[in-house]
Amino acid sequence: MRKIITLTSMLVGFVFLTACSDNSPPTSTEKTRNTEKAKPAVAAKPVNYQGKVDQDIKRFRSFYSNKFPGVELDNFKDGIYAIDEATREQWLEIEEFPPYELSIDEGQEFFEIAFANGKSYADCFDNKGQAIRQNYPYFDNDSNQVITLELAINQCRKTNGETPLSYGQGELVAISAYMANSSRDQKFDIKVPNKAAYKAYMNGKQFFYSKRGQLNFSCADCHLKIAGSNLRADRLSPAIGHPTGMPVYRSAWGELGSIGHRYRECNKNVRAEPLAYQSEAYRNLEYYQTLMSNGLVVNGPSSRK
Amino acid sequence: MKSLKYCLIIVSMFSASICVAGAAEPLIEKAEVARLKAAEVGFEWSTTSILIAEAKQAAEDGNNELAEKLANAAIKQAENGLKQAAFSAAHWQDSEPR
């Protein structure tokens, strides 16, 4: 009797399991569902950040081409002297015996002095630091920030156990001038490789167009909207080409200064509290401005009024 | 009783003078806090810290009225800096070339 019960329960179990397992052909809806499951996930189309920036560059350039139709694009590297014929001749004469020449020589001396550990600046840079200015600033994926040439010079010092130099003017700017001089006529070729770089670019762009200070002026107000107009005795330079001639010897300063030094001065002019040298905001601004000047050649150091 | 009355008058006059001298201080502190808020977003005006320094100097010199006036002007500037930051965040793209 016990055997019969056992065999019966086994038979019932077998029938139940067979009924539950679905061997029937799938319906059309099920087919679709299964196909959807089996379909490999479609990879999101990568965003072309450089493409977006290139569109901006195009618009930026055509603005200046329309505003100054007689000026060749390549000539915007000369700053205000590209659009001001009256002072251009004087400037060209000044450039024959430029006031920054001694600073280049000094910069070379500083550049060649070996650090205490025996290494030198040449060990920190590609191509031993020669003809590389056109690649700065760049976005560094490891540290997730924009690296300017001046910042890289000080990073080199820190890496080699040296104390960093002060930004703005002096020894560091002389080194930067020497490196820029070795890069003359190289075309700026700055890249925006990824989302993080694009964010830095957008921050720089926002800074450029944001009004600041008691006078409520943005960089764009002076150097885009009313570029070429007179502000007291000075004509306002176009923003395109600003970074190519850096560092710059300004007669008003009586010495060379970095682009950061100029940013601080511009901020002071509109009665905005200037930011710290090499602050993230200024580095992003330099990144944005240099990207807008992509394709122009390095002609730094340069001299301006 | 008469001497006690004089004493009370002298004490009240003394404390009143202390109150007048310190009346601008909360405003100066408020101005400093407002200035820092504007600086935090990168929109501090270079004139604000000058106003605050001048307000402090006026308070030290006992010119409370001027100190308050300067501190209030500094607060207004810092608030305008913050408004400017908000405006720029919302409208900076309007100035882009099309």
Side-chain angles (χ1 to χ4, degrees), chain A:
Chain A
M1 184 64 184
R2 194 178 284 169
K3 270 185 178 175
I4 292 169
I5 292 169
T6 313
L7 279 169
T8 314
S9 62
M10 280 174 71
L11 190 68
V12 169
F14 176 74
V15 169
F16 180 76
L17 281 172
T18 315
C20 284
S21 67
D22 191 1
N23 289 328
S24 57
T27 62
S28 60
T29 323
E30 282 167 338
K31 265 184 190 170
T32 318
R33 205 179 292 145
N34 290 341
T35 320
E36 274 174 10
K37 272 183 191 170
K39 203 190 278 178
V42 179
K45 199 179 170 190
V47 181
N48 182 4
Y49 293 107
Q50 186 65 49
K52 286 177 161 207
V53 172
D54 289 342
Q55 289 286 322
D56 282 356
I57 295 173
K58 208 173 159 185
R59 278 195 293 270
F60 198 76
R61 284 181 181 178
S62 65
F63 174 86
Y64 288 106
S65 299
N66 292 334
K67 198 172 177 71
F68 306 107
V71 179
E72 291 286 321
L73 182 70
D74 290 345
N75 288 342
F76 281 110
K77 70 182 189 311
D78 296 335
I80 188 63
Y81 307 112
I83 62 166
D84 191 347
E85 272 302 314
T87 53
R88 184 176 173 82
E89 290 305 315
Q90 294 170 21
W91 172 69
L92 286 172
E93 279 176 24
I94 291 171
E95 286 285 314
E96 279 177 29
F97 299 99
Y100 50 77
E101 204 162 24
L102 287 175
S103 298
I104 296 172
D105 295 340
E106 273 177 12
Q108 182 172 6
E109 282 172 30
F110 292 135
F111 186 88
E112 287 168 356
I113 294 172
F115 300 135
N117 65 2
K119 293 195 172 180
S120 71
Y121 290 110
D123 297 310
C124 294
F125 294 95
D126 289 342
N127 200 32
K128 305 237 169 265
Q130 302 300 299
I132 57 162
R133 169 72 181 96
Q134 69 281 3
N135 302 323
Y136 286 85
Y138 69 92
F139 189 81
D140 180 51
N141 292 323
D142 294 334
S143 59
N144 212 32
Q145 62 173 336
V146 170
I147 306 289
T148 62
L149 183 59
E150 281 83 14
L151 191 74
I153 291 169
N154 260 348
Q155 279 180 343
C156 175
R157 292 183 63 84
K158 280 187 211 166
T159 307
N160 288 291
E162 301 288 325
T163 51
L165 300 169
S166 59
Y167 292 107
Q169 289 176 310
E171 186 175 332
L172 187 138
V173 177
I175 294 166
S176 169
Y178 164 68
M179 292 174 80
N181 193 56
S182 77
S183 318
R184 281 202 164 188
D185 297 328
Q186 303 287 327
K187 283 186 178 175
F188 275 95
D189 185 23
I190 311 299
K191 301 268 191 279
V192 180
N194 52 38
K195 192 177 179 182
Y198 187 68
K199 194 180 164 202
Y201 163 82
M202 286 301 287
N203 286 342
K205 185 178 170 184
Q206 184 171 345
F207 191 107
F208 183 81
Y209 289 104
S210 293
K211 291 175 184 294
R212 294 189 136 71
Q214 194 182 31
L215 301 187
N216 203 33
F217 270 93
S218 67
C219 307
D221 283 336
C222 287
H223 298 288
L224 188 127
K225 265 189 204 167
I226 58 166
S229 305
N230 273 27
L231 205 66
R232 294 185 182 160
D234 295 322
R235 278 189 86 184
L236 292 162
S237 60
I240 187 168
H242 270 172
T244 64
M246 293 291 167
V248 62
Y249 180 98
R250 284 178 64 85
S251 307
W253 299 340
E255 61 179 315
L256 272 175
S258 65
I259 197 166
H261 197 62
R262 187 73 183 105
Y263 287 156
R264 282 173 59 86
E265 187 181 55
C266 273
N267 280 171
K268 282 179 200 166
N269 287 347
V270 298
R271 297 184 197 159
E273 186 63 25
L275 306 179
Y277 284 112
Q278 296 297 319
S279 59
E280 189 183 11
Y282 279 164
R283 280 183 285 121
N284 290 343
L285 177 62
E286 187 180 338
Y287 188 48
Y288 168 72
Q289 274 215 286
T290 315
L291 272 152
M292 290 301 108
S293 299
N294 253 1
L296 299 185
V297 297
V298 177
N299 63 343
S302 61
S303 64
R304 297 285 184 272
K305 198 175 166 189

Side-chain angles (χ1 to χ4, degrees), chain B residues 17-41:
Chain B
S17 69
I18 288 173
C19 283
V20 168
E25 272 169 28
L27 267 183
I28 294 171
E29 274 173 33
K30 198 178 163 189
E32 186 59 21
V33 170
R35 184 190 70 80
L36 288 172
K37 274 186 189 169
E40 213 172 276
V41 292

